[in-house]
Every structure is written in C-alpha cells, then in structure tokens.
Amino acid sequence: MTALQEAAPRPREGVRREALYFAVRNGKLLTGFGVVAVLLLAGLMGPLLTDVPPNQYGPRPMSPPSAEHWFGTTTFGQDVFTQFVHGLRSTFLVGVIGGGVAAVIGMFVGFVAGYRGGLVDEILSMLTNIVLVIPALAVLLIINAYLGLRSVALQGLFIGLTQWPWAARAIRAQTFSLRSREFVDLARMSGSGTLRIISREVAPNMSSYLFMTFILLFGGSILIASSLDFIGLGPTDAVSLGLMLQNATQWSALQLGMWWWFVPPGAAITAVVGALYVANVGLDEVFNPKLREL
C-alpha cells in the first residue's frame, strides 16, 4: 500500500512536464496569456507613472491624446490614461475576487456532492439548482441599487456568490466519474477521510479542469461587473473600465467625437475577456491529447 501511494505522484509529474512541453508551444495559449499579462502589468504599474488622482478635474477639458495627456482628457479635464490604468486594476481585482469566490464555493459543493453521493448529493444538488434558477443579474441589480457605498471587493463578492452553481455541477460530474477509480478505492481502504481523499486524490487529477474553470469564472466576473458599472451600479469609491464607459455615454463622448474616452476601456474589456477565451481554448488543446498540435 505504501509503495503504491509513494509511486502515485510520479505519473502526475510526468503529466505536468508533458503539459508544460505543449503549453510553451501553443500559440493560442501564449497569445491569450500574453495579452492578459500586458494589461495586468499596465494595471499594476500604470498608477505609479502618474501622481494625479483619477477623478481630479483638470484645466484642459476635451483634449485629444498628446504628450501631456497620453489618452486625452474627459469633458471635465480628467486624465483618461490615469482613469484607464486605475480602471484596469479594479477590473482585474473584481475578476480575481468574483472568480475566486465562485471557484471555492463551486469546488467545495461539487467535490462533496460528487464524492459522497446519496442524501448529501441530493441536498447540495437541490441548493445548486435553487441558486441556478435565480436570475443572478436581477439579484445583483437589486443588491447594488440598495447599497449606499459600493466597493470593488464587495461587488466581486456578490458576483462570486451568484456565479458558482454551473461550476459546482460540472465539478460534481467529474468527481462522480473519478470516485470509483482504483486510486480512490486504495485511498479509501487505507482509512483516509473524505476531505483528504478529495484534496490528495480527486482534486489533483482534475487540476487542469479546475484551472480552466477558474479562467471562465474570472472572465465572467469581469463581464458581469462591467455590465453593472455601465448601468451606473459600479463601485462608488473607485474607477473601473465599465464606469469609464458609463461616464463617456452619459456625457455624450460619442456625439462629441471624443473617441479617446470610450475606446480604451471598451477595447481593454474586449481584449481581456477575448484573450481569456483564446487562452482557455489553448489550455484545452494542451490538456487534451486529441486536440494537441504536434
């Protein structure tokens, strides 16, 4: 029994090395993660390049891009570049929080329901179905409308609490197929508990699937947050890309020809979500031997 358990990690290491070999050669994966990395770096380092608060009014309203204002200014003279880099940071933060919360809840519910089965599975599946049929966007609209102060973290938390059911159902199905495998039976015969088997045997064999699930949850959180921001229910204490689009629409940037106000945030949201989708397709090709391009 001990020898079998000691030998178990070796195939996993071989799988990881094989996946890494194909990952560094997959154009979709490198392109997708490259775009996300560039925008993430801009969100992290960009605010260090400017000491002007993102909402501070300036003396040159409606100025096009120039050496002084790289992305131009708004109707009130606010620097668009400053708002853009702060908005990137907020957008990534809400994606991490929303996607992370949804992933944690979805993994816990999916793993426990799929492994335990029986009454536990029925109860958790019923809970999942209840949350699944609730119109998440409508709930978020009501919650955000009644909140006096809205922060990026709070927005991400509420998004995560409404986005986990589909991930839980998918993980439950995968876990249900793995719980009857020989390595799980060996761990069960050795006296390991439920959480130990899930964390040591089931989850590692689903690591690629879980990573891809988080990427989808991450991108979904960004889209939901941008939708809330665009209709005026974004954070009240921060700047986001969705809020930039909302302000540009509210103050008629398109009619005034101020393309520099709405193009950067719209392009960034599209680039992040699109790059995540392309990266997810690349990951599918890396982890699925039938889709690999030799």
Side-chain angles (χ1 to χ4, degrees), residues 101-118 120-129 163-179 194-195 197-199 202-203 206 209-210 213 217:
V101 170
V104 170
I105 298 175
M107 288 177 192
F108 177 80
V109 174
F111 281 139
V112 175
Y115 179 76
R116 293 297 298 272
V120 174
D121 181 27
E122 292 181 6
I123 294 175
L124 292 177
S125 295
M126 180 181 65
L127 175 63
T128 302
N129 291 332
Q163 201 185 185
W164 60 267
W166 73 264
R169 294 185 67 176
I171 293 171
R172 172 193 173 276
Q174 295 289 328
T175 305
F176 192 81
S177 66
L178 286 175
R179 70 175 186 174
T194 299
L195 294 180
I197 293 176
I198 290 175
S199 61
V202 179
M206 292 173 54
Y209 185 82
L210 298 177
T213 299
L217 291 170

Short mmCIF file of all heavy atoms in Angstrom, two decimals, residues 101-118 120-129 163-179 194-195 197-199 202-203 206 209-210 213 217:
data_model
loop_
_atom_site.label_atom_id
_atom_site.label_comp_id
_atom_site.label_asym_id
_atom_site.label_seq_id
_atom_site.Cartn_x
_atom_site.Cartn_y
_atom_site.Cartn_z
N VAL A 101 -14.10 33.50 -5.40
CA VAL A 101 -15.21 33.11 -4.51
C VAL A 101 -16.07 32.04 -5.18
O VAL A 101 -16.43 31.02 -4.56
CB VAL A 101 -16.06 34.34 -4.13
CG1 VAL A 101 -17.34 33.92 -3.41
CG2 VAL A 101 -15.25 35.28 -3.25
N ALA A 102 -16.41 32.26 -6.45
CA ALA A 102 -17.24 31.29 -7.17
C ALA A 102 -16.52 29.95 -7.31
O ALA A 102 -17.14 28.89 -7.17
CB ALA A 102 -17.60 31.83 -8.54
N ALA A 103 -15.21 29.98 -7.55
CA ALA A 103 -14.45 28.74 -7.70
C ALA A 103 -14.38 27.96 -6.39
O ALA A 103 -14.56 26.74 -6.37
CB ALA A 103 -13.04 29.05 -8.20
N VAL A 104 -14.15 28.65 -5.27
CA VAL A 104 -14.06 27.98 -3.98
C VAL A 104 -15.39 27.32 -3.62
O VAL A 104 -15.44 26.15 -3.23
CB VAL A 104 -13.63 28.97 -2.88
CG1 VAL A 104 -13.78 28.35 -1.50
CG2 VAL A 104 -12.19 29.41 -3.10
N ILE A 105 -16.49 28.08 -3.75
CA ILE A 105 -17.79 27.51 -3.42
C ILE A 105 -18.15 26.38 -4.38
O ILE A 105 -18.63 25.32 -3.96
CB ILE A 105 -18.88 28.61 -3.46
CG1 ILE A 105 -18.58 29.69 -2.43
CG2 ILE A 105 -20.26 28.00 -3.21
CD1 ILE A 105 -19.54 30.86 -2.47
N GLY A 106 -17.92 26.60 -5.68
CA GLY A 106 -18.24 25.57 -6.66
C GLY A 106 -17.44 24.30 -6.46
O GLY A 106 -17.98 23.19 -6.58
N MET A 107 -16.15 24.45 -6.12
CA MET A 107 -15.32 23.27 -5.89
C MET A 107 -15.77 22.52 -4.64
O MET A 107 -15.87 21.28 -4.65
CB MET A 107 -13.86 23.69 -5.75
CG MET A 107 -13.22 24.12 -7.05
SD MET A 107 -11.50 24.68 -6.80
CE MET A 107 -11.16 25.44 -8.38
N PHE A 108 -16.05 23.23 -3.57
CA PHE A 108 -16.47 22.57 -2.33
C PHE A 108 -17.78 21.81 -2.54
O PHE A 108 -17.88 20.63 -2.21
CB PHE A 108 -16.64 23.60 -1.22
CG PHE A 108 -17.15 23.01 0.07
CD1 PHE A 108 -16.28 22.35 0.93
CD2 PHE A 108 -18.50 23.11 0.42
CE1 PHE A 108 -16.76 21.79 2.11
CE2 PHE A 108 -18.98 22.56 1.59
CZ PHE A 108 -18.11 21.90 2.44
N VAL A 109 -18.77 22.48 -3.11
CA VAL A 109 -20.07 21.84 -3.33
C VAL A 109 -19.93 20.69 -4.33
O VAL A 109 -20.47 19.60 -4.12
CB VAL A 109 -21.10 22.87 -3.82
CG1 VAL A 109 -22.41 22.18 -4.20
CG2 VAL A 109 -21.36 23.91 -2.74
N GLY A 110 -19.22 20.92 -5.42
CA GLY A 110 -19.08 19.89 -6.44
C GLY A 110 -18.32 18.67 -5.96
O GLY A 110 -18.72 17.53 -6.22
N PHE A 111 -17.21 18.89 -5.25
CA PHE A 111 -16.42 17.78 -4.75
C PHE A 111 -17.20 16.94 -3.73
O PHE A 111 -17.25 15.71 -3.82
CB PHE A 111 -15.12 18.28 -4.10
CG PHE A 111 -14.05 18.62 -5.08
CD1 PHE A 111 -13.26 19.75 -4.92
CD2 PHE A 111 -13.81 17.82 -6.19
CE1 PHE A 111 -12.27 20.08 -5.82
CE2 PHE A 111 -12.81 18.13 -7.10
CZ PHE A 111 -12.04 19.26 -6.92
N VAL A 112 -17.79 17.61 -2.76
CA VAL A 112 -18.51 16.89 -1.70
C VAL A 112 -19.72 16.16 -2.27
O VAL A 112 -19.95 14.99 -1.95
CB VAL A 112 -18.94 17.85 -0.57
CG1 VAL A 112 -19.79 17.14 0.46
CG2 VAL A 112 -17.71 18.46 0.10
N ALA A 113 -20.50 16.83 -3.11
CA ALA A 113 -21.68 16.20 -3.69
C ALA A 113 -21.30 15.02 -4.58
O ALA A 113 -21.92 13.96 -4.51
CB ALA A 113 -22.48 17.22 -4.49
N GLY A 114 -20.28 15.20 -5.40
CA GLY A 114 -19.89 14.14 -6.31
C GLY A 114 -19.25 12.95 -5.61
O GLY A 114 -19.45 11.80 -6.01
N TYR A 115 -18.50 13.20 -4.54
CA TYR A 115 -17.81 12.10 -3.85
C TYR A 115 -18.73 11.37 -2.87
O TYR A 115 -18.74 10.14 -2.82
CB TYR A 115 -16.59 12.62 -3.11
CG TYR A 115 -15.85 11.54 -2.36
CD1 TYR A 115 -15.04 10.63 -3.05
CD2 TYR A 115 -15.99 11.39 -0.99
CE1 TYR A 115 -14.38 9.62 -2.38
CE2 TYR A 115 -15.33 10.38 -0.31
CZ TYR A 115 -14.54 9.50 -1.01
OH TYR A 115 -13.89 8.48 -0.33
N ARG A 116 -19.49 12.12 -2.08
CA ARG A 116 -20.33 11.49 -1.06
C ARG A 116 -21.57 10.84 -1.67
O ARG A 116 -21.96 9.74 -1.25
CB ARG A 116 -20.75 12.53 -0.02
CG ARG A 116 -19.61 13.06 0.83
CD ARG A 116 -18.99 11.94 1.67
NE ARG A 116 -19.96 11.37 2.58
CZ ARG A 116 -20.20 11.83 3.80
NH1 ARG A 116 -19.52 12.89 4.25
NH2 ARG A 116 -21.09 11.26 4.57
N GLY A 117 -22.20 11.50 -2.63
CA GLY A 117 -23.41 10.95 -3.23
C GLY A 117 -24.55 10.86 -2.22
O GLY A 117 -24.50 11.45 -1.14
N GLY A 118 -25.58 10.10 -2.55
CA GLY A 118 -26.68 9.85 -1.64
C GLY A 118 -27.42 11.11 -1.21
O GLY A 118 -27.65 12.03 -2.00
N VAL A 120 -26.44 13.52 0.80
CA VAL A 120 -25.61 14.73 0.72
C VAL A 120 -25.64 15.30 -0.69
O VAL A 120 -25.79 16.52 -0.89
CB VAL A 120 -24.16 14.42 1.15
CG1 VAL A 120 -23.27 15.64 0.92
CG2 VAL A 120 -24.11 13.98 2.60
N ASP A 121 -25.54 14.43 -1.67
CA ASP A 121 -25.59 14.86 -3.06
C ASP A 121 -26.94 15.49 -3.39
O ASP A 121 -27.01 16.53 -4.06
CB ASP A 121 -25.32 13.67 -3.97
CG ASP A 121 -25.33 14.04 -5.44
OD1 ASP A 121 -25.04 15.20 -5.75
OD2 ASP A 121 -25.63 13.16 -6.27
N GLU A 122 -28.01 14.89 -2.91
CA GLU A 122 -29.35 15.42 -3.19
C GLU A 122 -29.54 16.80 -2.59
O GLU A 122 -30.11 17.70 -3.22
CB GLU A 122 -30.41 14.45 -2.66
CG GLU A 122 -30.47 13.12 -3.41
CD GLU A 122 -31.54 12.21 -2.86
OE1 GLU A 122 -32.32 12.66 -1.99
OE2 GLU A 122 -31.62 11.05 -3.31
N ILE A 123 -29.08 16.99 -1.35
CA ILE A 123 -29.23 18.28 -0.69
C ILE A 123 -28.42 19.36 -1.39
O ILE A 123 -28.92 20.46 -1.69
CB ILE A 123 -28.82 18.18 0.79
CG1 ILE A 123 -29.79 17.26 1.55
CG2 ILE A 123 -28.80 19.57 1.44
CD1 ILE A 123 -29.39 17.00 2.98
N LEU A 124 -27.15 19.05 -1.68
CA LEU A 124 -26.30 20.04 -2.34
C LEU A 124 -26.76 20.31 -3.78
O LEU A 124 -26.68 21.45 -4.25
CB LEU A 124 -24.84 19.56 -2.33
CG LEU A 124 -24.18 19.52 -0.95
CD1 LEU A 124 -22.76 18.97 -1.06
CD2 LEU A 124 -24.16 20.90 -0.32
N SER A 125 -27.24 19.29 -4.47
CA SER A 125 -27.74 19.49 -5.83
C SER A 125 -29.01 20.35 -5.81
O SER A 125 -29.20 21.19 -6.70
CB SER A 125 -28.04 18.14 -6.49
OG SER A 125 -26.85 17.39 -6.66
N MET A 126 -29.86 20.15 -4.79
CA MET A 126 -31.05 20.97 -4.67
C MET A 126 -30.67 22.43 -4.43
O MET A 126 -31.24 23.35 -5.03
CB MET A 126 -31.94 20.46 -3.54
CG MET A 126 -33.22 21.26 -3.34
SD MET A 126 -34.23 20.64 -1.98
CE MET A 126 -33.14 20.97 -0.58
N LEU A 127 -29.68 22.65 -3.54
CA LEU A 127 -29.21 24.00 -3.28
C LEU A 127 -28.64 24.63 -4.54
O LEU A 127 -28.90 25.81 -4.85
CB LEU A 127 -28.16 23.98 -2.17
CG LEU A 127 -27.46 25.31 -1.85
CD1 LEU A 127 -28.47 26.32 -1.33
CD2 LEU A 127 -26.34 25.10 -0.84
N THR A 128 -27.87 23.86 -5.27
CA THR A 128 -27.28 24.36 -6.51
C THR A 128 -28.35 24.74 -7.52
O THR A 128 -28.28 25.79 -8.17
CB THR A 128 -26.34 23.30 -7.12
OG1 THR A 128 -25.32 22.96 -6.18
CG2 THR A 128 -25.70 23.81 -8.40
N ASN A 129 -29.37 23.90 -7.66
CA ASN A 129 -30.44 24.17 -8.62
C ASN A 129 -31.25 25.40 -8.23
O ASN A 129 -31.69 26.17 -9.09
CB ASN A 129 -31.36 22.96 -8.75
CG ASN A 129 -30.68 21.78 -9.41
OD1 ASN A 129 -29.77 21.95 -10.22
ND2 ASN A 129 -31.10 20.57 -9.07
N GLN A 163 -22.40 33.17 -8.96
CA GLN A 163 -21.86 32.62 -10.20
C GLN A 163 -21.37 31.17 -10.07
O GLN A 163 -20.97 30.58 -11.07
CB GLN A 163 -20.69 33.51 -10.68
CG GLN A 163 -20.39 33.36 -12.16
CD GLN A 163 -19.17 34.14 -12.59
OE1 GLN A 163 -18.85 34.19 -13.76
NE2 GLN A 163 -18.46 34.75 -11.66
N TRP A 164 -21.42 30.58 -8.87
CA TRP A 164 -20.80 29.28 -8.65
C TRP A 164 -21.59 28.06 -9.08
O TRP A 164 -21.00 26.98 -9.29
CB TRP A 164 -20.47 29.12 -7.16
CG TRP A 164 -21.66 29.20 -6.25
CD1 TRP A 164 -22.14 30.30 -5.63
CD2 TRP A 164 -22.51 28.11 -5.85
NE1 TRP A 164 -23.25 29.99 -4.88
CE2 TRP A 164 -23.49 28.65 -4.99
CE3 TRP A 164 -22.53 26.75 -6.13
CZ2 TRP A 164 -24.49 27.87 -4.42
CZ3 TRP A 164 -23.53 25.96 -5.57
CH2 TRP A 164 -24.49 26.52 -4.72
N PRO A 165 -22.94 28.11 -9.24
CA PRO A 165 -23.69 26.86 -9.47
C PRO A 165 -23.26 26.06 -10.68
O PRO A 165 -23.14 24.83 -10.61
CB PRO A 165 -25.14 27.35 -9.61
CG PRO A 165 -25.19 28.60 -8.81
CD PRO A 165 -23.86 29.25 -9.03
N TRP A 166 -23.03 26.71 -11.84
CA TRP A 166 -22.66 25.92 -13.02
C TRP A 166 -21.32 25.23 -12.83
O TRP A 166 -21.11 24.11 -13.31
CB TRP A 166 -22.65 26.81 -14.27
CG TRP A 166 -21.50 27.78 -14.37
CD1 TRP A 166 -21.50 29.07 -14.00
CD2 TRP A 166 -20.19 27.50 -14.87
NE1 TRP A 166 -20.27 29.64 -14.23
CE2 TRP A 166 -19.44 28.70 -14.76
CE3 TRP A 166 -19.56 26.37 -15.39
CZ2 TRP A 166 -18.12 28.79 -15.16
CZ3 TRP A 166 -18.24 26.45 -15.79
CH2 TRP A 166 -17.54 27.65 -15.68
N ALA A 167 -20.39 25.89 -12.13
CA ALA A 167 -19.10 25.27 -11.85
C ALA A 167 -19.28 24.07 -10.92
O ALA A 167 -18.63 23.03 -11.09
CB ALA A 167 -18.15 26.29 -11.23
N ALA A 168 -20.15 24.20 -9.91
CA ALA A 168 -20.40 23.11 -8.98
C ALA A 168 -20.97 21.89 -9.71
O ALA A 168 -20.57 20.75 -9.44
CB ALA A 168 -21.36 23.56 -7.88
N ARG A 169 -21.88 22.12 -10.63
CA ARG A 169 -22.48 21.00 -11.37
C ARG A 169 -21.45 20.30 -12.25
O ARG A 169 -21.42 19.07 -12.33
CB ARG A 169 -23.65 21.50 -12.21
CG ARG A 169 -24.82 22.02 -11.40
CD ARG A 169 -26.00 22.39 -12.26
NE ARG A 169 -26.59 21.23 -12.90
CZ ARG A 169 -27.69 21.29 -13.65
NH1 ARG A 169 -28.28 22.46 -13.87
NH2 ARG A 169 -28.18 20.20 -14.19
N ALA A 170 -20.59 21.09 -12.89
CA ALA A 170 -19.57 20.49 -13.76
C ALA A 170 -18.55 19.71 -12.93
O ALA A 170 -18.15 18.59 -13.30
CB ALA A 170 -18.87 21.58 -14.56
N ILE A 171 -18.12 20.27 -11.80
CA ILE A 171 -17.14 19.59 -10.95
C ILE A 171 -17.75 18.35 -10.32
O ILE A 171 -17.08 17.32 -10.16
CB ILE A 171 -16.62 20.56 -9.87
CG1 ILE A 171 -15.81 21.68 -10.54
CG2 ILE A 171 -15.77 19.84 -8.84
CD1 ILE A 171 -15.44 22.80 -9.60
N ARG A 172 -19.02 18.42 -9.94
CA ARG A 172 -19.71 17.24 -9.38
C ARG A 172 -19.69 16.09 -10.38
O ARG A 172 -19.43 14.93 -10.02
CB ARG A 172 -21.15 17.60 -9.03
CG ARG A 172 -22.00 16.39 -8.63
CD ARG A 172 -23.47 16.73 -8.59
NE ARG A 172 -24.28 15.55 -8.37
CZ ARG A 172 -24.67 14.73 -9.33
NH1 ARG A 172 -24.31 14.96 -10.60
NH2 ARG A 172 -25.41 13.66 -9.05
N ALA A 173 -19.97 16.38 -11.66
CA ALA A 173 -19.99 15.33 -12.68
C ALA A 173 -18.61 14.70 -12.84
O ALA A 173 -18.48 13.47 -12.95
CB ALA A 173 -20.48 15.90 -14.01
N GLN A 174 -17.57 15.52 -12.84
CA GLN A 174 -16.20 15.00 -12.96
C GLN A 174 -15.83 14.16 -11.74
O GLN A 174 -15.21 13.11 -11.86
CB GLN A 174 -15.22 16.16 -13.14
CG GLN A 174 -15.39 16.93 -14.43
CD GLN A 174 -14.95 16.13 -15.64
OE1 GLN A 174 -14.04 15.31 -15.57
NE2 GLN A 174 -15.61 16.35 -16.76
N THR A 175 -16.19 14.65 -10.55
CA THR A 175 -15.87 13.93 -9.32
C THR A 175 -16.61 12.60 -9.27
O THR A 175 -16.06 11.58 -8.81
CB THR A 175 -16.24 14.78 -8.09
OG1 THR A 175 -15.59 16.04 -8.18
CG2 THR A 175 -15.83 14.10 -6.80
N PHE A 176 -17.85 12.60 -9.72
CA PHE A 176 -18.65 11.38 -9.70
C PHE A 176 -17.99 10.29 -10.55
O PHE A 176 -18.05 9.10 -10.21
CB PHE A 176 -20.05 11.69 -10.22
CG PHE A 176 -21.04 10.59 -9.99
CD1 PHE A 176 -21.65 10.44 -8.75
CD2 PHE A 176 -21.36 9.69 -11.00
CE1 PHE A 176 -22.56 9.43 -8.52
CE2 PHE A 176 -22.27 8.67 -10.78
CZ PHE A 176 -22.88 8.54 -9.54
N SER A 177 -17.34 10.68 -11.66
CA SER A 177 -16.68 9.69 -12.51
C SER A 177 -15.35 9.24 -11.95
O SER A 177 -14.87 8.15 -12.29
CB SER A 177 -16.48 10.28 -13.91
OG SER A 177 -15.57 11.36 -13.88
N LEU A 178 -14.74 10.06 -11.08
CA LEU A 178 -13.44 9.70 -10.52
C LEU A 178 -13.53 8.90 -9.22
O LEU A 178 -12.58 8.21 -8.86
CB LEU A 178 -12.61 10.97 -10.24
CG LEU A 178 -12.03 11.71 -11.45
CD1 LEU A 178 -11.37 13.00 -11.00
CD2 LEU A 178 -11.03 10.83 -12.18
N ARG A 179 -14.65 8.99 -8.51
CA ARG A 179 -14.72 8.39 -7.18
C ARG A 179 -14.67 6.86 -7.22
O ARG A 179 -14.38 6.23 -6.21
CB ARG A 179 -15.99 8.83 -6.47
CG ARG A 179 -17.28 8.27 -7.02
CD ARG A 179 -18.44 8.67 -6.15
NE ARG A 179 -19.68 8.03 -6.57
CZ ARG A 179 -20.82 8.12 -5.91
NH1 ARG A 179 -20.89 8.87 -4.81
NH2 ARG A 179 -21.91 7.51 -6.36
N THR A 194 -12.79 11.78 3.93
CA THR A 194 -13.36 12.36 2.71
C THR A 194 -12.54 13.55 2.22
O THR A 194 -12.16 13.61 1.05
CB THR A 194 -14.81 12.81 2.96
OG1 THR A 194 -15.59 11.66 3.32
CG2 THR A 194 -15.40 13.45 1.72
N LEU A 195 -12.27 14.50 3.10
CA LEU A 195 -11.54 15.70 2.69
C LEU A 195 -10.12 15.37 2.22
O LEU A 195 -9.61 15.99 1.28
CB LEU A 195 -11.50 16.71 3.83
CG LEU A 195 -12.86 17.31 4.23
CD1 LEU A 195 -12.69 18.29 5.39
CD2 LEU A 195 -13.53 17.99 3.05
N ILE A 197 -9.12 12.52 0.85
CA ILE A 197 -9.19 11.86 -0.45
C ILE A 197 -9.47 12.89 -1.55
O ILE A 197 -8.87 12.85 -2.63
CB ILE A 197 -10.29 10.77 -0.44
CG1 ILE A 197 -9.87 9.63 0.49
CG2 ILE A 197 -10.53 10.23 -1.84
CD1 ILE A 197 -10.93 8.56 0.65
N ILE A 198 -10.37 13.82 -1.25
CA ILE A 198 -10.69 14.84 -2.25
C ILE A 198 -9.48 15.72 -2.55
O ILE A 198 -9.17 15.99 -3.72
CB ILE A 198 -11.87 15.70 -1.76
CG1 ILE A 198 -13.16 14.88 -1.76
CG2 ILE A 198 -12.04 16.94 -2.65
CD1 ILE A 198 -14.36 15.61 -1.18
N SER A 199 -8.77 16.13 -1.49
CA SER A 199 -7.63 17.04 -1.68
C SER A 199 -6.39 16.35 -2.22
O SER A 199 -5.60 16.96 -2.93
CB SER A 199 -7.31 17.75 -0.36
OG SER A 199 -6.94 16.81 0.63
N VAL A 202 -8.56 13.23 -5.66
CA VAL A 202 -9.52 13.67 -6.68
C VAL A 202 -9.10 15.00 -7.30
O VAL A 202 -8.99 15.12 -8.52
CB VAL A 202 -10.94 13.77 -6.08
CG1 VAL A 202 -11.92 14.27 -7.15
CG2 VAL A 202 -11.39 12.42 -5.54
N ALA A 203 -8.88 16.01 -6.47
CA ALA A 203 -8.57 17.35 -6.98
C ALA A 203 -7.32 17.39 -7.86
O ALA A 203 -7.34 18.02 -8.92
CB ALA A 203 -8.45 18.34 -5.82
N MET A 206 -7.87 16.56 -11.34
CA MET A 206 -8.75 17.48 -12.05
C MET A 206 -8.13 18.87 -12.12
O MET A 206 -8.83 19.85 -12.41
CB MET A 206 -10.11 17.56 -11.34
CG MET A 206 -10.94 16.30 -11.43
SD MET A 206 -12.44 16.43 -10.40
CE MET A 206 -13.17 17.94 -11.03
N TYR A 209 -8.69 20.87 -15.31
CA TYR A 209 -10.10 21.24 -15.47
C TYR A 209 -10.46 22.37 -14.51
O TYR A 209 -11.19 23.29 -14.87
CB TYR A 209 -10.98 20.01 -15.21
CG TYR A 209 -12.44 20.25 -15.46
CD1 TYR A 209 -12.96 20.19 -16.75
CD2 TYR A 209 -13.31 20.52 -14.41
CE1 TYR A 209 -14.30 20.40 -16.99
CE2 TYR A 209 -14.65 20.74 -14.64
CZ TYR A 209 -15.15 20.67 -15.93
OH TYR A 209 -16.48 20.90 -16.15
N LEU A 210 -9.96 22.30 -13.28
CA LEU A 210 -10.25 23.34 -12.29
C LEU A 210 -9.64 24.68 -12.71
O LEU A 210 -10.25 25.74 -12.52
CB LEU A 210 -9.71 22.92 -10.92
CG LEU A 210 -10.32 21.66 -10.31
CD1 LEU A 210 -9.64 21.33 -8.98
CD2 LEU A 210 -11.82 21.82 -10.10
N THR A 213 -11.75 26.12 -15.38
CA THR A 213 -13.00 26.61 -14.80
C THR A 213 -12.80 27.98 -14.16
O THR A 213 -13.63 28.89 -14.31
CB THR A 213 -13.52 25.62 -13.74
OG1 THR A 213 -13.78 24.36 -14.36
CG2 THR A 213 -14.79 26.13 -13.09
N LEU A 217 -14.65 31.59 -14.91
CA LEU A 217 -15.28 32.36 -13.84
C LEU A 217 -14.67 33.75 -13.74
O LEU A 217 -15.37 34.73 -13.49
CB LEU A 217 -15.14 31.62 -12.51
CG LEU A 217 -15.94 30.31 -12.37
CD1 LEU A 217 -15.52 29.58 -11.11
CD2 LEU A 217 -17.43 30.59 -12.35
#
